[in-house]
């Protein structure tokens, strides 16, 4: 019974972390209608940034966002405006085409290989004091970094939701996602909104990276594993829907953690994709997706 | 018209090739490479010296070279009037087909009287077949595929343990530790990555573990690329095993080891079987959490047997790196060959085969390996071949088992200290 509770708690925590990683993907798709295949390698870059700040400058992992978030927001803003936007513009003018998707695949390959080149194919684990901290309630052991990651992820997703719904900027971002042409007529620079959205995607990934570093290894392909999860989560919850990404994350986290207790971890992996296919067949827009 | 010409030309060439092949097989029955009055014994060495496995090919070659240098410097093969051993190396490029044709070339044009190689099982398997056809003895020092010695071949001799012995050695180790300390492991957990490698280990464990009177309380395959291995760790905790067996790659081994330490899951011992657990990256990234972990491997520089340290020092002085399992295997195999040559008294493949099959060697530097003697059974397998168990102590891998090969400065710690009691 204790193990079941532990598995459920772990599933919830990991699920909300998955959700946090997936919201960026969902946001970029919702606003720009771009499927970003570089999402995983963006996460890898954020993880390396946090890792080196923790290991070389002795920062506390949870404080690193103070420096890394602005830096990577700017990085994301520039990448969008200098690399993605020109291709997007051409696509809008010529109509159709899938050049942007190929561009993101290209970016993924470039970034992964740059990581290999600069950081090597080594596994890097930041062994910080909090990594091995646990909370014991009765016979239930809860890993503290996981708990922090889970709770903070929920708060961050809520904050992003509030930002998108309550602030003018948020409303502009949502409006751009709904109708780019109409937004232009209202005097909003749609490409600037794209830049900001991509920057926000980076912010969410950096925060996720700061939460993950105390408990996870960094490797040039570390983000890839989470990227695959993110795609499943986003499609499951509904493309472009933040609530959907959160719900999808929780569902995947629970399936992964709880079914592995009854069956095996291999079966859990299979179940995740089975659920994914079923949702696609029965509810093609995802659980919370709009028609 | 011209394309037809090309096709007919190709056909002609193919036919000629086939004729040549049948011509070759017509040769069998004789021992064409026999030569009794020689100044040197030609040994054909087949190794992957280019391609992705080239580093291991090079390291193996160094093992052969060092041994041959020593044997020749000590007066060569005395029964052959001080004949020197001469290595003739061929590059298999890690490819079975090239391995076969290179073996053919070594035997046919270089006239070697004995062969050795080829590191990879996939190359060793077909190239031993070539040697069998020409009746040339073939010493296999490091290829582990079980079937290599299961084809009724008379000319294949394997000095290292086959794959099937690995899982058994892990179980034997646990049984022996239990007897020695009075704390026998009864509940065993199997934790393995779910592809070919892990599954074949699990299949073997499921035979070996119950046979040793232990119960399998957990059978946990997992995908090596999982983003979260906590579910697996929780299952281990729930099963409460005394002994945990792993087959893992590097990233999963790191996550599992750190997670088990964090959850403070105590057992008598945890043992890996190479792969991730033998990767230096693993130790670097687990730090204190991998302390007291066991790992089964073929050889280590601290094997407590005479000649190991001296040989490794010589090797390091010559090549700048420590010996590893492959180079030690190849090194030792040359001493097995030298012994057979002395007893054969002739540079004749048939006599060498005869001598090899009667090997009962427990001296010379062939003994830098963990086994205490070399004897081949009728399949050509060295029945005394042995593996070692290392334990991580103060961040170093030290040999603690078997008794005959252990590092004299260390005793195996079994059961390992509880996580709560460690500093």
């Amino acid at each position: 019974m204790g193990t079941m509770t532990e598995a459920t708690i772990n599933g919830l925590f990991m699920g909300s972390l998955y959700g946090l990683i997936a919201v960026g993907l969902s946001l970029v798709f919702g606003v720009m209608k771009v499927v970003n295949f570089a999402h995983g390698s963006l996460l890898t870059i954020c993880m390396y940034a946090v890792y080196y700040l923790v290991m070389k400058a002795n920062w506390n992992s949870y404080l690193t966002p103070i420096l890394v978030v602005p830096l990577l927001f700017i990085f994301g803003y520039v990448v969008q405006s200098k690399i993605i936007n020109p291709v997007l513009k051409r696509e809008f003018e010529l109509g159709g085409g899938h050049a942007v998707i190929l561009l993101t695949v290209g970016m993924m390959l470039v970034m992964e290989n740059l990581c290999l080149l600069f950081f090597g194919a080594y596994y890097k684990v930041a062994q910080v004091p909090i990594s091995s901290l646990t909370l014991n309630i009765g016979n239930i052991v809860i890993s503290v970094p996981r708990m922090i990651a889970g709770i903070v992820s929920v708060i961050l997703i809520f904050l992003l939701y509030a930002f998108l719904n309550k602030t003018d900027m948020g409303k502009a971002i949502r409006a751009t996602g709904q109708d780019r042409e109409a937004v232009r007529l209202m005097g909003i620079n749609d490409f600037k909104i794209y830049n900001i959205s991509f920057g926000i995607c980076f912010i969410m990934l950096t925060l996720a990276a700061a939460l993950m570093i105390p408990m996870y290894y960094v490797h040039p392909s570390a983000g890839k594993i989470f990227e695959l999860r993110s795609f499943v989560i986003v499609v499951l919850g509904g493309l472009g829907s933040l609530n959907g990404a959160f719900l999808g994350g929780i569902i995947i986290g629970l399936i992964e953690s709880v079914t592995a207790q009854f069956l095996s971890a291999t079966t859990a992996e299979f179940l995740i994709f089975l659920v994914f296919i079923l949702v696609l067949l029965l509810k093609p827009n995802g659980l919370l997706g709009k028609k | 018209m011209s394309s037809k010409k090309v096709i007919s030309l190709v056909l002609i060439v193919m036919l000629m090739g086939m004729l040549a092949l049948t011509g070759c097989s017509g040769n069998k029955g004789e021992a064409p490479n026999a030569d009794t009055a020689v100044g040197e014994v030609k040994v054909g060495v087949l190794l992957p010296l280019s391609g992705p496995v080239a580093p291991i090919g090079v390291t193996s070659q160094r093992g052969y070279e060092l041994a041959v240098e020593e044997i020749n410097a000590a007066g060569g093969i005395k029964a052959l009037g001080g004949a020197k051993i001469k290595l003739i190396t061929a590059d298999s490029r890690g490819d079975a087909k090239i391995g076969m044709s290179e073996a053919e070339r070594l035997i046919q044009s270089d006239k070697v009287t004995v062969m050795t190689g080829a590191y990879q099982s996939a190359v060793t398997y077909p190239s031993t077949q070539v040697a069998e056809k020409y009746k040339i003895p073939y010493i296999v020092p490091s290829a582990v595929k079980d079937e290599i010695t299961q084809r009724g071949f008379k000319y294949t001799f394997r000095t290292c343990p086959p794959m099937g012995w690995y899982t058994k050695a892990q179980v034997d180790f646990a049984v022996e530790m239990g007897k020695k300390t009075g704390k026998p492991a009864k509940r065993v957990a199997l934790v393995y990555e779910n592809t070919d490698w892990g599954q074949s280990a699990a299949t073997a464990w499921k035979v070996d573990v119950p046979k040793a009177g232990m119960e399998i309380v957990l059978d946990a395959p997992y995908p090596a690329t999982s983003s979260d291995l906590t579910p697996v760790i929780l299952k281990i905790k729930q099963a409460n095993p005394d002994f945990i067996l792993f087959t893992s790659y590097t990233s999963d081994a790191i996550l599992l080891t750190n997670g088990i330490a964090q959850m403070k899951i105590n057992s008598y011992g945890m043992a890996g079987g190479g792969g991730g657990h033998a990767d230096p990256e693993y130790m670097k990234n687990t730090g204190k959490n991998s302390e007291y972990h066991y790992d089964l491997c073929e050889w280590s520089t601290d094997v407590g047997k005479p000649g190991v340290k001296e040989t490794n020092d010589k090797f390091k002085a010559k090549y700048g790196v420590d010996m590893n399992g492959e180079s030690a295997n190849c090194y030792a195999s040359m001493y097995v060959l030298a012994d057979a040559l002395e007893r054969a008294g002739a540079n004749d493949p048939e006599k060498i085969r005869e001598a090899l099959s009667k090997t009962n060697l427990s001296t010379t530097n062939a003994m830098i390996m963990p086994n205490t003697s070399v004897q081949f059974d009728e399949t050509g397998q060295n029945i005394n071949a042995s593996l070692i168990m290392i334990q991580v102590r103060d961040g170093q891998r030290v040999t603690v088992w078997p008794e005959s090969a252990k590092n004299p400065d260390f005793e195996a710690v079994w059961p390992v200290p509880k996580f709560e009691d460690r500093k």
Side-chain angles (χ1 to χ4, degrees):
Chain A
M1 199 55 230
T3 314
M4 224 53 217
T5 321
E6 274 176 338
T8 312
I9 293 172
N10 181 64
L12 287 172
F13 289 161
M14 280 310 282
S16 40
L17 179 64
Y18 289 157
L20 179 65
I21 297 168
V23 286
L25 187 69
S26 196
L27 180 74
V28 168
F29 181 84
V31 177
M32 287 178 249
K33 309 287 177 274
V34 169
V35 180
N36 181 14
F37 282 99
H39 196 69
S41 25
L42 301 184
L43 176 63
T44 310
I45 287 184
C46 297
M47 286 169 82
Y48 273 112
V50 174
Y51 173 84
Y52 278 105
L53 209 52
V54 170
M55 296 308 281
K56 302 283 175 207
N58 269 323
W59 279 44
N60 181 318
S61 179
Y62 300 123
L63 293 178
T64 53
I66 297 172
L67 182 69
V68 185
V69 160
L71 274 180
L72 284 173
F73 175 80
I74 296 166
F75 179 69
Y77 191 100
V78 173
V79 166
Q80 176 71 36
S81 70
K82 298 292 174 214
I83 299 175
I84 303 179
N85 277 349
V87 180
L88 258 182
K89 261 180 206 158
R90 213 170 317 136
E91 217 163 76
F92 287 147
E93 281 158 18
L94 300 173
H98 300 287
V100 178
I101 293 181
L102 293 179
L103 175 72
T104 63
V105 175
M107 279 167 54
M108 179 261 286
L109 291 172
V110 167
M111 282 188 282
E112 218 176 282
N113 286 294
L114 278 180
C115 286
L116 272 171
L117 193 64
F118 286 113
F119 310 123
Y122 307 113
Y123 293 94
K124 297 178 192 296
V125 177
Q127 286 278 358
V128 287
I130 200 165
S131 302
S132 51
L133 222 58
T134 52
L135 203 65
N136 299 294
I137 307 167
N139 60 347
I140 294 169
V141 182
I142 299 167
S143 149
V144 173
R146 257 162 220 277
M147 184 176 71
I148 296 176
I151 293 171
V152 175
S153 292
V154 178
I155 297 171
L156 289 171
I157 295 171
F158 174 77
L159 283 178
L160 180 66
Y161 185 79
F163 167 77
L164 289 177
N165 284 287
K166 302 287 174 210
T167 63
D168 285 349
M169 176 58 82
K171 284 176 185 159
I173 290 176
R174 287 196 307 141
T176 312
Q178 281 163 12
D179 194 333
R180 195 175 65 90
E181 303 286 333
V183 157
R184 279 200 125 156
L185 295 174
M186 301 299 131
I188 294 172
N189 183 342
D190 51 348
F191 283 104
K192 205 166 190 174
I193 294 292
Y194 287 179
N195 298 345
I196 292 167
S197 307
F198 205 63
I200 292 174
C201 169
F202 255 103
I203 293 181
M204 296 326 256
L205 288 177
T206 315
L207 293 166
L211 294 170
M212 282 159 73
I213 284 298
M215 58 188 198
Y216 209 74
Y217 61 84
V218 196
H219 184 263
S221 60
K224 277 295 258 297
I225 299 164
F226 289 90
E227 182 184 80
L228 190 62
R229 284 270 184 281
S230 298
F231 275 114
V232 175
I233 288 165
V234 165
V235 175
L236 187 63
L239 270 166
S241 156
L242 293 194
N243 304 352
F246 178 66
L247 183 69
I250 295 285
I251 291 173
I252 296 297
L254 282 177
I255 293 179
E256 185 183 77
S257 195
V258 177
T259 55
Q261 304 308 313
F262 297 114
L263 307 158
S264 72
T266 310
T267 326
E269 199 76 10
F270 148 81
L271 261 179
I272 288 171
F273 288 96
L274 188 70
V275 169
F276 174 68
I277 293 170
L278 283 179
V279 169
L280 275 184
L281 283 175
L282 303 175
K283 228 173 166 310
N285 293 310
L287 295 174
L288 299 181
K290 293 187 190 80
K291 278 265 167 73
Chain B
M1 257 330 253
S2 67
S3 73
K4 270 190 182 169
K5 263 185 190 165
V6 171
I7 290 172
S8 50
L9 212 76
V10 169
L11 276 173
I12 289 168
V13 170
M14 275 169 67
L15 266 171
M16 279 167 71
M18 277 163 75
L19 279 173
L21 272 176
T22 44
C24 292
S25 49
N27 248 350
K28 62 184 165 184
E30 310 153 27
N33 300 355
D35 184 2
T36 36
V38 274
E40 59 184 26
V41 177
K42 286 182 184 167
V43 179
V45 180
L46 187 60
L47 285 172
L49 295 170
S50 55
V53 245
I56 305 176
V58 171
T59 225
S60 301
Q61 194 184 11
R62 289 170 171 176
Y64 286 127
E65 270 174 15
L66 184 65
V68 167
E69 224 176 83
E70 286 174 5
I71 294 165
N72 288 344
I77 307 300
K78 291 170 191 86
L80 293 174
K84 303 274 187 273
I85 295 179
K86 190 180 176 204
L87 298 175
I88 299 175
T89 312
D91 182 5
S92 71
R93 283 183 257 166
D95 184 308
K97 281 200 275 325
I98 297 170
M100 279 178 87
S101 60
E102 285 296 286
E104 190 110 25
R105 186 180 66 77
L106 284 170
I107 296 168
Q108 290 285 69
S109 69
D110 288 315
K111 306 279 178 208
V112 299
T113 44
V114 61
M115 277 199 64
T116 183
Y119 174 62
Q120 292 150 296
S121 290
V123 181
T124 309
Y125 190 76
S127 59
T128 43
Q129 201 170 333
V130 174
E132 186 77 13
K133 190 172 84 180
Y134 292 107
K135 306 200 166 186
I136 297 291
Y138 193 128
I139 300 178
V140 179
S142 48
V144 292
K145 187 183 168 102
D146 290 307
E147 289 83 357
I148 289 172
T149 49
Q150 292 173 354
R151 294 171 292 177
F153 281 10
K154 290 204 152 45
Y155 292 81
T156 304
F157 297 91
R158 170 154 54 191
T159 51
C160 67
M163 196 63 221
W165 294 14
Y166 279 70
T167 48
K168 193 169 172 302
Q170 290 172 319
V171 175
D172 287 348
F173 164 76
V175 170
E176 210 177 300
M177 282 297 125
K179 281 196 189 124
K180 207 169 147 190
T181 59
K183 299 246 176 182
K186 294 203 179 72
R187 304 163 59 80
V188 180
L190 312 178
V191 182
Y192 52 97
E193 62 87 30
N194 62 3
T195 63
D196 195 28
W197 181 42
Q199 286 191 13
S200 49
T203 312
W205 280 332
K206 284 172 197 166
V207 176
D208 295 331
V209 171
K211 218 188 259 175
M214 296 186 275
E215 185 196 352
I216 296 173
V217 293
L218 175 67
D219 175 22
Y222 64 84
T225 52
S226 288
S227 46
D228 183 23
L229 284 174
T230 314
V232 178
I233 295 163
L234 287 172
K235 280 185 97 163
I236 301 174
K237 190 182 170 200
Q238 171 88 339
N240 187 27
D242 303 324
F243 187 48
I244 312 175
L245 285 164
F246 294 95
T247 301
S248 308
Y249 292 113
T250 309
S251 62
D252 39 334
I254 293 171
L255 289 179
L256 285 170
T257 302
N258 287 339
I260 285 171
Q262 189 182 35
M263 288 290 199
K264 298 193 172 47
I265 301 172
N266 291 309
S267 59
Y268 291 166
M270 293 185 259
H277 289 94
D279 187 344
E281 289 294 310
Y282 162 77
M283 303 247 292
K284 218 189 308 174
N285 285 310
T286 48
K288 279 191 179 142
N289 293 341
S290 58
E291 191 72 6
Y292 300 114
H293 257 54
Y294 290 104
D295 185 27
L296 188 78
C297 59
E298 45 205 359
W299 192 78
S300 158
T301 52
D302 77 332
V303 163
K305 295 193 64 184
V308 172
K309 196 184 172 303
E310 294 76 6
T311 306
N312 186 50
D313 286 349
K314 240 192 252 176
F315 190 91
K316 201 167 184 180
K318 194 167 154 75
Y319 301 110
V321 288
D322 278 319
M323 278 181 115
N324 64 4
E326 280 82 31
S327 39
N329 267 327
C330 294
Y331 175 90
S333 72
M334 285 297 102
Y335 277 92
V336 174
L337 172 64
D339 164 70
L341 287 169
E342 291 289 1
R343 286 181 292 108
N347 187 17
D348 168 34
E350 203 50 51
K351 294 221 170 86
I352 297 172
R353 191 210 80 82
E354 193 68 29
L356 273 171
S357 70
K358 291 188 178 129
T359 299
N360 186 359
L361 180 66
S362 53
T363 53
T364 75
N365 270 3
M367 293 297 109
I368 66 161
M369 299 311 290
N371 43 305
T372 45
S373 69
V374 178
Q375 273 174 301
F376 297 104
D377 62 9
E378 68 280 5
T379 67
Q381 174 61 46
N382 173 10
I383 45 172
N384 299 321
S386 155
L387 293 151
I388 58 167
M389 190 64 93
I390 66 94
Q391 188 172 31
V392 179
R393 302 285 283 276
D394 291 324
Q396 296 295 320
R397 290 164 64 92
V398 299
T399 311
V400 291
W401 185 83
E403 202 58 43
S404 57
K406 73 185 261 306
N407 184 327
D409 302 334
F410 288 90
E411 284 297 326
V413 174
W414 177 284
V416 303
K418 287 191 156 57
F419 282 105
E420 296 86 337
D421 303 338
R422 300 187 192 179
K423 270 178 273 172

